[in-house]
């Protein structure tokens, strides 16, 4: 059975409520435990127990998603780092990354009128490989870039470049891979976007040029 | 406040969160700020850290209320998530539902250390997201997921469920 088949069947089990162990019905985890999971507080065993229930319970999944969105928004605004051992050390880096992003967006906005790529990070900038400039809106879009030596993480940003929304972040993710796939639902709408990738290395961050992406409505 | 709401909404998209969920929570935040600060000018001057803490507190209360409501609710068989797709016979649908239930039971039987990762993956979360939530390395996540999926397939195979079952 393929992963996709398993996903489809599990999705059905989730929708029917079959995925929840019979002894766990009506025993949703306390909100504080959900927050602990998001903030990586408590033992790993406890967090795995919480996650096990959450991933089998539609209602708890929505609640976890809400808390994750809140926490991430807090971190991205530089205020949501209290009480998180795993994130405390990365707070200055996140702040620096936000500043770098803000500068990047400002440059992107300034140069959005012409089609020339905006170089960031000098000659060693991240090389973007895919997708092409125009993609269909009803298909997943695969983004790929060339590995950067010693990079431990890559920060991917997709910016809305439609009229009146230029430079608004539409999606971002930090990953250790050199590719990621966005589902049509994650792109949310057809239109103009721009995207770029920053490579985080021990020596600092290197960035790609900004690349345009037009998502066609099919 | 507006900036924070925009940020939550933007981040929420990544987690497939509906605008309605975010709106409900931000409405609670507005009410709390209004009660605490009164005038709109004071609310607009509230520091981001204060708005963030208020939002977390409002979200936790909202979740508590939802838990209390859930205990009183019964599950409806008219749940849109279980609607029969057009053109699928009731027999086929029943068979498929039973297969889904078997997959769910098989997941229950795999080791607890691997089970949540498998659940998260099958629910559509990419590996990087699993690693990020649990604070694991990509290698550890990949390893546990691989083992968990192998366990799951072995249990399904032992029950006579394989490739041919869903074709």
């Amino acid at each position: 059975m393929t992963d996709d088949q398993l996903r489809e069947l599990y999705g059905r089990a989730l929708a029917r409520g079959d995925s929840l162990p019979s002894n766990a019905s009506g025993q949703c985890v306390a909100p504080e435990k959900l927050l602990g999971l998001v903030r990586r507080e408590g033992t790993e065993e406890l967090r795995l127990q919480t996650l096990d229930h959450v991933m089998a319970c539609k209602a708890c999944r929505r609640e976890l998603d809400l808390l994750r969105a809140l926490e991430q928004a807090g971190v991205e605004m530089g205020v949501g780092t209290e009480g998180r051992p795993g994130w405390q050390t990365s707070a200055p880096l996140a702040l620096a990354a936000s500043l770098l992003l803000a500068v990047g967006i400002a440059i992107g906005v300034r140069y959005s009128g012409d089609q020339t790529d905006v170089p960031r990070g000098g000659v060693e900038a991240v090389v973007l490989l895919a997708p092409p400039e125009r993609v269909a809106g009803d298909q997943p879009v695969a983004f790929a870039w060339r590995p950067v030596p010693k990079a431990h993480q890559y920060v991917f940003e997709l910016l809305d470049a439609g009229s009146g929304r230029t430079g608004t972040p539409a999606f971002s993710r930090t990953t250790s891979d050199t590719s990621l796939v966005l589902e049509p639902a994650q792109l949310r709408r057809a239109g103009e976007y721009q995207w770029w990738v920053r490579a985080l290395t021990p020596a600092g961050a290197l960035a790609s040029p900004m690349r345009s992406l037009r998502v066609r409505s099919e | 406040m507006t900036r924070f709401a925009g940020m939550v909404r933007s981040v929420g998209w990544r987690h497939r969160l509906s605008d309605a969920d975010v709106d409900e929570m931000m409405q609670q935040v507005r009410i709390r700020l209004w009660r605490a600060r009164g005038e709109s000018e004071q609310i607009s001057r509230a520091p981001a850290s204060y708005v963030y803490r208020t939002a977390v507190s409002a979200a936790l209360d909202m979740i508590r209320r939802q838990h209390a409501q859930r205990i009183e609710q019964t599950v409806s068989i008219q749940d849109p998530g279980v609607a029969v797709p057009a053109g699928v016979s009731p027999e086929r649908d029943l068979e498929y539902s039973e297969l889904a239930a078997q997959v769910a039971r098989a997941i229950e039987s795999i080791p607890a250390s691997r089970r949540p990762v498998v659940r998260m993956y099958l629910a559509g979360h990419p590996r990087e997201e699993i690693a990020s939530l649990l604070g694991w390395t990509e290698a550890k996540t990949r390893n546990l997921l691989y083992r968990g999926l192998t366990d799951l397939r072995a249990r399904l195979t032992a029950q006579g469920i394989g490739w041919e079952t869903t074709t």
Side-chain angles (χ1 to χ4, degrees), chain A residues 2-216:
Chain A
T2 65
D3 286 7
D4 286 342
Q5 287 171 321
L6 283 172
R7 278 198 180 113
E8 201 180 327
L9 288 165
Y10 186 65
R12 191 174 180 93
L14 266 181
R16 291 174 57 89
D18 288 343
S19 56
L20 214 53
S22 53
N23 62 356
S25 54
Q27 294 180 359
C28 286
V29 291
E32 290 75 14
K33 282 190 178 175
L34 290 176
L35 195 60
L37 176 61
V38 171
R39 291 179 170 177
R40 295 190 208 153
E41 291 170 348
T43 64
E44 185 171 293
E45 191 186 352
L46 201 67
R47 286 185 288 127
L48 282 172
Q49 271 176 22
T50 304
L51 185 60
D52 193 38
H53 172 91
V54 169
M55 284 298 136
C57 175
K58 256 198 316 188
C60 285
R61 272 182 70 188
R62 272 180 61 188
E63 292 163 359
L64 179 74
D65 287 344
L66 180 65
L67 291 176
R68 286 177 73 197
L70 269 181
E71 284 298 300
Q72 220 162 326
V75 168
E76 289 185 18
M77 290 185 76
V79 293
T81 57
E82 292 168 7
R84 264 155 297 168
W87 291 2
Q88 275 175 340
T89 50
S90 61
L93 186 62
L95 192 60
S98 299
L99 287 172
L100 188 64
L101 175 63
V103 171
I105 290 171
I107 294 171
V109 170
R110 186 175 169 193
Y111 285 85
S112 59
D114 58 41
Q115 292 303 306
T116 53
D117 282 342
V118 181
R120 291 177 179 78
V123 291
E124 294 180 58
V126 182
V127 178
L128 305 179
L129 300 174
E133 201 172 323
R134 289 163 190 265
V135 295
D138 59 348
Q139 300 288 324
V141 182
F143 295 84
W145 51 93
R146 202 164 279 166
V148 172
K150 295 182 182 171
H152 51 90
Q153 278 191 318
Y154 298 90
V155 182
F156 169 89
E157 289 278 352
L158 180 72
L159 308 173
D160 200 324
S163 64
R165 303 169 64 93
T166 305
T168 309
F171 183 89
S172 72
R173 177 170 293 163
T174 301
T175 174
S176 51
D177 284 349
T178 55
S179 65
L180 66 84
V181 176
L182 289 190
E183 298 296 328
Q186 290 175 295
L187 284 165
R188 290 184 69 84
R189 63 177 191 82
E192 301 285 337
Y193 292 89
Q194 289 187 310
W195 67 284
W196 66 313
V197 175
R198 279 173 295 135
L200 306 181
T201 74
L206 299 171
S208 74
M210 191 74 79
R211 181 180 277 196
S212 297
L213 177 70
R214 175 173 293 175
V215 179
R216 297 191 307 263

Side-chain angles (χ1 to χ4, degrees), chain B residues 30-47:
Chain B
R30 278 189 202 95
I31 292 169
R32 283 170 186 236
L33 289 177
W34 181 77
R35 281 182 183 154
R37 302 210 154 211
E39 293 171 15
S40 57
E41 195 182 333
Q42 282 183 315
I43 293 173
S44 66
R45 281 207 301 263

Side-chain angles (χ1 to χ4, degrees), chain B residues 103-163:
Chain B
V103 168
R105 284 195 293 272
I107 290 173
E108 271 305 302
S109 69
I110 65 180
S113 58
R114 300 168 194 170
R115 198 165 55 224
V117 183
V118 170
R119 283 194 198 281
M120 211 171 162
Y121 178 74
L122 294 184
H125 297 274
R127 251 188 0 230
E128 302 84 33
E129 199 179 330
I130 302 171
S132 165
L133 181 65
L134 290 166
W136 288 353
T137 61
E138 203 275 337
K140 179 177 178 180
T141 310
R142 191 177 55 225
N143 184 30
L144 285 171
L145 177 61
Y146 175 78
R147 289 185 187 186
L149 287 173
T150 304
D151 289 338
L152 175 59
R153 287 197 171 93
R155 279 154 178 76
L156 289 172
T157 304
Q159 292 176 46
I161 302 167
W163 282 92

